[in-house]
Each structure stands twice: as structure tokens, then as C-alpha cells.
Amino acid sequence: WATPGPRIGIWSMMTPPEHRRKGAGRAVLTCALEALWGSGTEGAFLFSTPAGRPFYEAVGFAAVDDATTWTSGASEEFLAAIGQPTAVADP
């Protein structure tokens, strides 16, 4: 999901596990950016999970901030999928 404008927003991008590391994500993202990029485009931004960060950096994005994801009742599988620690310390 992307929005055009002076700053292109990439709001959601997910690649099913069976298609990862085969070029599918890179093809979709680079084609979308190429289609949306115009003479007035200043740049693009997105929010990424820690698991996605190496991919986005490899295609030219730079991290400007790190955020913490807070979840309540998330399964260990979900936390692992988004690259968050699965062990939670007791308060």
C-alpha cells in the first residue's frame, strides 16, 4: 500500500515466507517506487519491522529512528515474524 506525493509513503508491504529471498519484494517495491516517482518527488518513507530492516537498507532506505513495538497477548510466532524478542521479563 503506497501513497504518491512529494514524499511517497510505503504504508504496508509484506512478502509471504515462501517467496522471501527470491527477489519478489525487491521487484514489487522498486516497480512501485518507479511508477510513483515524479519530477516533484523529494523522497520516500516507510515503517519497517526489525526483520525487514536489512531488506529496506539494501534497496536504499536509511533508518532515521528506531521504534519499540508493544503487544499484548501476541504469540511467540508473531513476535518472531516481526523480529521482536519473544521472551518478556516479569515486571
Side-chain angles (χ1 to χ4, degrees), residues 2-90:
T3 52
R7 292 174 194 89
I8 298 169
I10 305 297
W11 298 100
S12 181
M13 182 163 167
M14 294 167 269
T15 305
E18 64 271 18
H19 297 291
R20 292 180 188 154
R21 310 225 28 99
K22 297 179 182 176
R26 181 181 299 266
V28 169
L29 180 60
T30 57
C31 285
L33 288 171
E34 183 178 325
L36 294 170
W37 207 278
S39 61
T41 303
E42 299 170 6
F45 67 89
L46 57 81
F47 298 96
S48 170
T49 63
R53 184 174 180 166
F55 166 72
Y56 294 115
E57 289 176 338
V59 296
F61 284 85
V64 295
D65 197 4
D66 287 317
T68 302
T69 302
W70 296 87
T71 61
S72 178
S75 69
E76 288 196 19
E77 293 81 16
F78 174 79
L79 294 173
I82 65 170
Q84 294 292 321
T86 57
V88 177
D90 290 330

